[in-house]
């Protein structure tokens, strides 16, 4: 029922935003959030791209662009496996030191690619699916640097945290 309600809310905002001559930043932003919650990544991408195009350089919205819109656009692109585009959106946030931990992790995964378990209808592992990243040597080196930086952040935050991928990384380094 909750998902149906979210879908209805998104639909109403979609109609309102498409019928209005000049939909507000907040209405477009809220609609994009609803589509993201529903996993409708292409719809979210379209709205976030519209926000980026229309409001980049508008001083009163710039903080929200850097904190919410661009990271969400990167996530929407990432979730559609548009890794080059996702990395392109997220890289300036890292370079300007405006990226959160989660945004940095997403960027590194877009650069390196990843593997994930594909589950069957009962939630049991069925297979492993690999999703390629940007896939050039420079991108892989950047990703390794980002993952190392994330590890240091986690160690500082958690004490003696060791992520499961560290042993795999060490094995490939040898």
């Amino acid at each position: 029922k909750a998902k149906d309600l979210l879908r209805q809310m998104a639909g109403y905002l979609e109609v309102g935003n498409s019928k209005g001559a000049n939909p507000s930043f907040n209405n477009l932003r809220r609609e994009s959030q609803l589509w993201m919650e529903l996993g409708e990544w292409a719809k979210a991408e379209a709205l976030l791209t519209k926000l980026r195009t229309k409001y980049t350089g508008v001083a009163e919205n710039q903080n929200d662009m850097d904190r919410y819109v661009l990271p969400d656009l990167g996530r929407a692109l990432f979730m559609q496996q548009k890794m080059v585009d996702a990395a392109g959106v997220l890289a300036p946030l890292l370079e300007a030191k405006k990226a959160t931990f989660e945004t940095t992790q997403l960027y590194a995964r877009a650069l390196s690619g990843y593997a994930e378990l594909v589950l069957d209808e009962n939630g049991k592992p069925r297979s492993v699916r690999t999703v390629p990243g940007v896939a050039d040597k420079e991108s892989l080196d950047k990703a390794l640097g980002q993952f190392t930086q994330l590890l240091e952040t986690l160690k500082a935050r958690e004490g003696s945290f060791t992520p499961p991928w560290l042993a795999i990384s060490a094995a490939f380094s040898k």
Side-chain angles (χ1 to χ4, degrees):
K1 286 185 177 186
K3 209 165 197 163
D4 289 340
L5 181 60
L6 280 177
R7 190 167 301 285
Q8 256 186 327
M9 290 168 53
Y12 290 143
L13 272 172
E14 182 178 37
V15 169
N17 286 338
S18 67
K19 298 294 181 195
N22 195 15
S24 73
F25 179 92
N26 290 335
N27 284 347
L28 290 171
R29 174 77 183 114
R30 184 64 192 133
E31 183 186 346
S32 72
Q33 289 173 308
L34 291 170
W35 291 125
M36 288 181 70
E37 286 179 49
L38 290 165
E40 298 276 349
W41 302 109
K43 286 186 175 189
E45 176 195 352
L47 287 164
L48 293 163
T49 300
K50 185 175 185 175
L51 280 166
R52 180 185 190 192
T53 302
K54 188 172 181 178
Y55 291 100
T56 293
V58 177
E60 64 216 41
N61 299 110
Q62 195 56 50
N63 191 39
D64 286 340
M65 292 292 289
D66 293 340
R67 290 183 67 204
Y68 307 114
V69 174
L70 295 177
D72 282 355
L73 178 56
R75 178 168 300 287
L77 292 163
F78 179 89
M79 295 303 288
Q80 296 175 83
Q81 299 177 8
K82 297 178 180 178
M83 300 306 186
V84 172
D85 296 334
V89 168
L90 299 173
L93 295 173
L94 272 82
E95 290 165 9
K97 300 195 183 316
K98 294 181 178 180
T100 64
F101 183 89
E102 291 76 17
T103 300
T104 304
Q105 184 179 29
L106 190 67
Y107 174 69
R109 288 181 69 203
L111 291 176
S112 66
Y114 62 95
E116 67 182 2
L117 284 175
V118 177
L119 305 176
D120 64 16
E121 58 278 351
N122 298 318
K124 302 284 185 199
R126 185 178 60 188
S127 63
V128 175
R129 177 176 73 136
T130 57
V131 178
V134 174
D136 59 17
K137 180 165 177 15
E138 182 183 340
S139 296
L140 291 173
D141 289 343
K142 274 186 195 176
L144 183 58
Q146 292 300 325
F147 283 128
T148 303
Q149 182 181 0
L150 290 171
L151 175 61
E152 293 304 317
T153 302
L154 284 173
K155 281 183 179 178
R157 199 186 288 175
E158 306 287 332
S160 62
F161 176 80
T162 304
W165 51 263
L166 186 60
I168 296 169
S169 173
F172 282 114
S173 309
K174 293 181 180 179

